[in-house]
Structure formats: C-alpha cells, structure tokens
Amino acid sequence: MTKLSREDVLKLARLARLALDDTEIEAFRKELESVLEYVEQLRDVDTTGLLPTTQVTGLKNVMREDTVIDYGVSRDNLLRLAPAREDDEVKVKRMIG
Amino acid sequence: MSQWLPIADIAAKVQAGELQALELVEQALKTIADKQDFQAIIATTAERARERAASIDAAVKNGQPVGRLAGVPFIAKDNFLVFGAQTTAASNILKGFDAPYQSTAIERLEAEGAICVAKANLDAFAHGGSTENSDFFTTKNPHDPTRVPGGSSGGSAAAVVLDMAPFALGTDTGGSIRQPASFTGCVGFKPTYGLVSRSGVVAMASSTDVIGPLARTVDDAALVLDVMAGRDQLDSTTIVRDEQGYVNLSGDLTGKTIGVIKEYMAEGIDDGVKVVISDAIEKMRAAGATIKEISLPSLPLSLAVYYIVVPAEISSNLSRYDGQRYAYSAPDAENLEESFSKTRAEGFGNEAKRRIMIGTYVLSSGYYDAYYRKAQTVRTKLIQEFAQAFADVDFLVGPTAPTTAFKIGENASDPLQMYLADTMTVGPSLVGIPSIVIPAGTSDNLPVGLQIMAAQRHDRPLLTLAKATEEVIA
C-alpha cells in the first residue's frame, strides 16, 4: 500500500513549482494517496519481454527541408503577450545572484 | 427537430446563393443566446464571424468558389487557439489569452468556408469527465439541467444537441469526445491518433490527445474530419490520410464481424445502459453482422495505465505555464521562484494541480521505473491484445460509459470515483485506434451511446460501419 506523507507532497509541490497551503497539502495528500493506491495494481502485471510504448504512430525521423517557413506569427504579436516587456525582450525576475 | 440542414447541403446552398452565410451566423448566435442557461459557451466570436460571413457572401456574389463548408457555423472547444476570442482552456491561468495564431484544424475548416461562432466550455485543460472542473462554470446536460453533459468536451456536445451549430470541435485524450457524446445524445468521433494535427490545440497528454468532431450524424462528422485530416508540417506526429478520404461512405453490415468486448459488459455497468447496448448489438446482428464475444484480458488495467501515463504527460505539458512569457503571472511575486509557484498556485484549478503532482510523482527519481516505465510496458500489452482482436474481428463494440449522465456534484468530492467513469474509453486512447460513439437509445430518458472501434488507420471503414449502424439502430 502506498503511503504518501506530508513531506512527499511538499517535495512534489516544490518540484512542480506549486505553492500550497497547509489545508491544501493535507487534502491533496489524501487524494493523491488514493489514486496512487489504485494504480499500484500494475506492479504485479507480468510484462516479461515487452518494451515500453512511447508513441503509437510508428513514425520515425519525420523530416522537412531546413528552410524558414513564415506561418504568419509576428514577433510583436508574441511579445505583447508577455506579462512584462522591455523593448523587444521579455522581462523576468532576477535569476542569478 | 434540428434547424440545420446536413452540413454538405448547407454549403451547397450557400455556394448557390440560396442561403446567406451571414443569416446562418445570426441564426447560430441567436440560438446561443436563447440557450445560455445551459452554460455551454464561454464566449462568442461574433464580430469576426460576421466579417467572415460577409466576405463569403460577397465571394458567392462574385461567382467565386467558397469551399465545401461554406457558411457553416461551428463551435470550437475552448482549448483550440482561434482568432476573435480568448482561448482559455476554461482555466484561470489562461484568462484573457489572445491567441497569436490559430490551430491547423480551424485553419483548414476556415479555408473551406466554415465559420467559428463561439468557444465551448470544458473541464479546465480537458482534465475531467463532466465539465465540472471548468474554472468558470459547469455546463448543464440538455436533457436534464441537474445533470452533467459529460466531459471534457461537455460544452461542445451540449452545443450540438442544443442545436447552436451543425457541428462542434472537441478533443479526446481518454474519452473526452466520446463520453459527452454518449451523455448528451450526439455523434462523437475520436480518430486514429495522428490523423488530425494538434498544432494550436492546448496540449494535455501528447501521446493520446486527438482532435475530432461532434455532430448530429455520422455523415456530418465524416465531412468535418475529411476537411481536417492529414499531415501537417507543424505537427510531426501526424499521419497520412486515407487515399479515398472520409466522405461518400457506403456499405452495410452484412459480412462484417463485430466483437463485443466481454470486459466492458461485465459488472460495474448500469443495467439500463446494458439493455440499450445489447439491443443495439442485436439490431446489428439482424442487419447481417456476425457478432462474437471478444476478450481483452488486460483491459481492466487500462485505467491504471492511463492514470499514470497521462498525468505524467500533463505534468510535462503544463510546465510551460510559468508566468513569464504569456498568460497569468502572479502580480505580487517577489522573486523568480515565487513568480513560478504563486502563478501556478493561483492560476491552476485543483484538478490540474492533482494531475501535475501525480505526474511529477510517477516520473520522479526512484519511482520512474516502477510507475511510468511499467505503465508504458503494460500499454504495449494492451496494444498487442487489441491488434490480436482485430485479426479476429473487423470492429469492436461496447458501451461508452458505465452509466448515463450523472448528477452535477455527484462525483465531485472523490477524484478517483470520477476517474473510474473513464473505464470504457481510455483503452482506445492508449492504443491509438479510432472510436466513434453514436446515439443508441435512452435509459430513464437519458441518452446512451454505442461505442464502435476499429484498428488503427481504419477510420474510413469505421465511419462507413457507423453510418450503416446509425440507420439500423435509429
């Protein structure tokens, strides 16, 4: 049986960059624990000799010519979506130091 | 009785000048306004729709060809990027997002003259099976407003059944087109994975997401698919379309071998649903099909596979919502770390957070092999079993969901309970095969949809069979 601790949830929240308060942590802890318990049933399934599936199309190495395609998206249209902008740059909080 | 002609007829009349695109748009907008209590629509694209209609009508006057869907209004699930209205995916984190480009599916429909008139409600980010997870409001089932329309394409399905437009677009990752089609009583088609480009559609689980139509008839759904289907440079997972396309379907049930999925007809399915499905299968037999029982022994595991693989892919796809380049950004963040985590905490709803955390868990160091890798390997088993089944039968049938539309709020307090409602639809999604749902009758006055599946890339034979079945079980 999977036991999910409060610390486990805090770790997941940190990895996923989600700020959670105390009530949320406990609520999610219970819910996630029940889902993880349900999916545990795969542990005992015999998968000898089988490889994992990563995609179902069977396509490989889909290529195209290395030429620029203009599909009508302008730089300005993209930049104006940024929450903070300075000239032609997206502005973010300090990352280093 | 629908106010709309079959889609091909609408387009022909518009081309002939007998119908005006502008009138059709106004008709759709009026119905949307009249039926607003059902809360199927997040926003209309009225202004842009009227402009496009006017230019189509002008082109007709000039004797120019205007496309196979000329003047046909449609509604797009709000996870399709489209010009003329925000694209929110029904999430607070995307509120106000003005798309800088459109989805390929919509570009192709518009190139043939179709006109998007509104964006439909959904479970936020398509996470759900009832449309109750929309961050904005819940859509009501057209047959009973105290019940859900299903999800996550609940708004799209309700819109079609409420006659707001002749067709709507949905997405299906584990049943999100098929289950609402069953709960509301319309046709919902999930094509083979890769047949329709996902470019410009908000990603949920990249290895199972597909785009598909919801409509009143199989013919209408097939025409919409025909316009959208085929390789797209912008989506390298797209596959080649059928040489014959998906229209001009003709064929009947004689000589077709249909496998009834044993594991779907066992316990856990409502008696009322079972009766409708069994009756439908009997009618198929009477029309000349050979019916066999088929067992897919790993199918009961498919939900567990799904709820490992899909949250994993969700956690990856939703990592882009970081408050830096577009969409919601927490205004009071003091540093980068806070900017990320407050943005996501404030912008995402509970179900998104749940799935992100499940995904993060199963992909994390120490758990990846036991959960994610194991699930993807059981997935291989499922693929093999379905392939074996299709060596034995031409098509597979079964119910779409264990129940009819449940009451609003009934499953809301137990996420796992909600997930269990997906039992019958996740299999085809994981395996990548096409599956269609057509109305098969009612149980206690609530619609029940019959689910029919075919082998990968057998979309045309599936649509042909579905059309024949539609006539027989009407």
Side-chain angles (χ1 to χ4, degrees):
Chain A
M1 200 171 105
T2 315
K3 274 287 190 188
L4 202 67
S5 69
R6 190 191 138 81
E7 282 61 48
D8 289 330
V9 178
L10 285 170
K11 179 179 170 200
L12 292 176
R14 231 214 87 246
L15 284 171
R17 299 299 189 269
L18 287 169
L20 298 179
D21 67 43
D22 284 338
T23 11
E24 284 177 308
I25 293 169
E26 181 50 25
F28 282 130
R29 194 200 65 74
K30 287 203 186 85
E31 289 167 352
L32 297 181
E33 191 173 72
S34 96
V35 175
L36 291 170
E37 268 164 31
Y38 177 80
V39 301
E40 276 291 305
Q41 59 182 287
L42 295 187
R43 287 222 157 185
D44 302 320
V45 176
D46 182 11
T47 51
T48 336
L50 294 177
L51 289 175
T53 291
T54 47
Q55 56 107 332
V56 296
T57 60
L59 292 170
K60 281 180 169 147
N61 301 336
V62 178
M63 311 286 275
R64 66 175 184 88
E65 287 304 310
D66 187 15
T67 53
V68 173
I69 306 167
D70 176 7
Y71 55 102
V73 185
S74 76
R75 175 197 276 179
D76 200 62
N77 259 348
L78 294 171
L79 281 172
R80 72 178 161 74
L81 295 170
R85 174 187 179 178
E86 210 168 86
D87 301 320
D88 276 355
E89 295 172 321
V90 174
K91 196 160 134 179
V92 300
K93 303 245 183 291
R94 177 195 285 272
M95 287 191 202
I96 302 165
Chain B
M1 262 284 42
S2 173
Q3 64 181 328
W4 307 103
L5 290 169
I7 292 173
D9 295 350
I10 297 175
K13 285 189 184 283
V14 169
Q15 178 77 79
E18 289 166 32
L19 281 177
Q20 304 279 299
L22 197 52
E23 274 167 20
L24 295 168
V25 165
E26 295 304 342
Q27 202 178 323
L29 293 171
K30 179 170 189 306
T31 310
I32 288 169
D34 288 346
K35 306 279 173 79
Q36 64 188 319
D37 286 348
F38 288 93
Q39 300 181 156
I41 303 299
I42 291 178
T44 66
T45 51
E47 207 180 296
R48 187 167 180 275
R50 288 175 175 132
E51 273 165 27
R52 295 204 55 248
S55 66
I56 288 171
D57 288 332
V60 167
K61 282 214 171 75
N62 283 340
Q64 291 162 309
V66 281
R68 297 193 290 150
L69 299 177
V72 179
F74 72 95
I75 290 168
K77 185 175 182 179
D78 203 18
N79 57 357
F80 282 77
L81 269 60
V82 70
F83 297 140
Q86 298 165 32
T87 298
T88 67
S91 173
N92 285 321
I93 216 167
L94 276 174
K95 225 170 171 183
F97 179 71
D98 192 6
Y101 60 94
Q102 297 201 118
S103 60
T104 294
I106 292 192
E107 290 278 303
R108 288 182 180 183
L109 291 169
E110 288 196 339
E112 291 291 347
I115 303 174
C116 182
V117 292
K119 307 300 290 297
N121 197 23
L122 60 152
D123 286 292
F125 284 107
H127 301 166
S130 66
T131 310
E132 291 172 287
N133 289 332
S134 166
D135 283 357
F136 308 146
F137 40 77
T138 297
T139 300
K140 299 167 187 189
N141 192 306
H143 295 267
D144 178 344
T146 66
R147 293 178 183 270
V148 301
S152 58
S153 310
S156 298
V160 167
V161 172
L162 291 167
D163 221 28
M164 292 175 175
F167 75 93
L169 293 180
T171 61
D172 189 310
T173 301
S176 290
I177 287 173
R178 292 165 284 155
Q179 185 253 47
S182 181
F183 279 14
T184 59
C186 63
V187 172
F189 183 58
K190 177 203 123 26
T192 295
Y193 176 86
L195 189 55
V196 180
S197 170
R198 290 174 295 117
S199 172
V201 179
V202 175
M204 177 176 159
S206 304
S207 78
T208 72
D209 281 353
V210 302
I211 277 106
L214 293 107
R216 298 156 299 161
T217 64
V218 174
D219 264 343
D220 276 359
L223 174 53
V224 174
L225 177 75
D226 194 59
V227 171
M228 299 191 297
R231 295 226 57 234
D232 179 20
Q233 278 198 100
L234 299 175
D235 177 356
S236 63
T237 65
T238 50
I239 61 176
V240 166
R241 53 184 279 135
D242 192 303
E243 271 168 11
Q244 293 183 283
Y246 304 96
V247 291
N248 300 319
L249 309 169
S250 76
D252 58 28
L253 289 152
T254 52
K256 302 287 185 283
T257 314
I258 317 279
V260 178
I261 300 176
K262 179 175 158 201
E263 287 77 12
Y264 280 173
M265 298 294 271
E267 338 103 24
I269 164 180
D270 261 13
D271 287 334
V273 171
K274 208 174 195 174
V275 164
V276 173
I277 300 298
S278 303
D279 281 352
I281 293 170
E282 270 317 298
K283 288 179 179 150
M284 293 175 86
R285 186 201 305 269
T290 304
I291 310 291
K292 287 175 88 151
E293 194 188 52
I294 287 280
S295 172
L296 293 162
S298 299
L299 208 47
L301 300 170
S302 59
L303 199 70
V305 171
Y306 184 85
Y307 277 104
I308 290 175
V309 172
V310 165
E313 296 184 4
I314 287 172
S315 73
S316 175
N317 280 324
L318 264 52
S319 66
R320 70 193 64 182
Y321 301 103
D322 58 13
Q324 310 306 308
R325 292 153 298 139
Y326 51 82
Y328 177 72
S329 185
D332 59 347
E334 291 185 358
N335 53 52
L336 190 64
E337 190 61 41
E338 272 191 14
S339 185
F340 290 151
S341 53
K342 277 185 169 210
T343 291
R344 292 159 66 80
E346 290 161 22
F348 283 138
N350 285 336
E351 188 57 36
K353 290 177 187 172
R354 252 174 232 127
R355 295 189 187 207
I356 288 168
M357 286 194 280
I358 294 170
T360 304
Y361 183 91
V362 303
L363 289 173
S364 62
S365 171
Y367 296 113
Y368 178 96
D369 283 343
Y371 288 94
Y372 185 73
R373 196 170 196 279
K374 182 71 180 185
Q376 291 283 49
T377 311
V378 178
R379 187 177 182 179
T380 305
K381 225 175 173 177
L382 277 165
I383 292 171
Q384 285 180 351
E385 285 180 14
F386 270 94
Q388 268 166 349
F390 287 121
D392 201 10
V393 298
D394 299 315
F395 304 94
L396 291 168
V397 293
T400 310
T403 66
T404 51
F406 43 86
K407 291 263 186 203
I408 292 171
E410 195 175 313
N411 289 330
S413 58
D414 187 349
L416 184 60
Q417 209 49 48
M418 189 69 90
Y419 296 167
L420 290 170
D422 295 340
T423 294
M424 291 157 185
T425 45
V426 296
S429 297
L430 290 167
V431 168
I433 60 175
S435 177
I436 191 168
V437 167
I438 58 176
T442 58
S443 168
D444 288 333
N445 295 317
L446 292 168
V448 175
L450 176 72
Q451 183 178 200
I452 313 173
M453 297 157 235
Q456 227 183 8
R457 295 176 169 82
H458 284 217
D459 301 74
R460 188 186 168 84
L462 177 57
L463 287 162
T464 306
L465 185 96
K467 180 175 167 173
T469 307
E470 189 181 46
E471 282 156 32
V472 151
I473 67 178

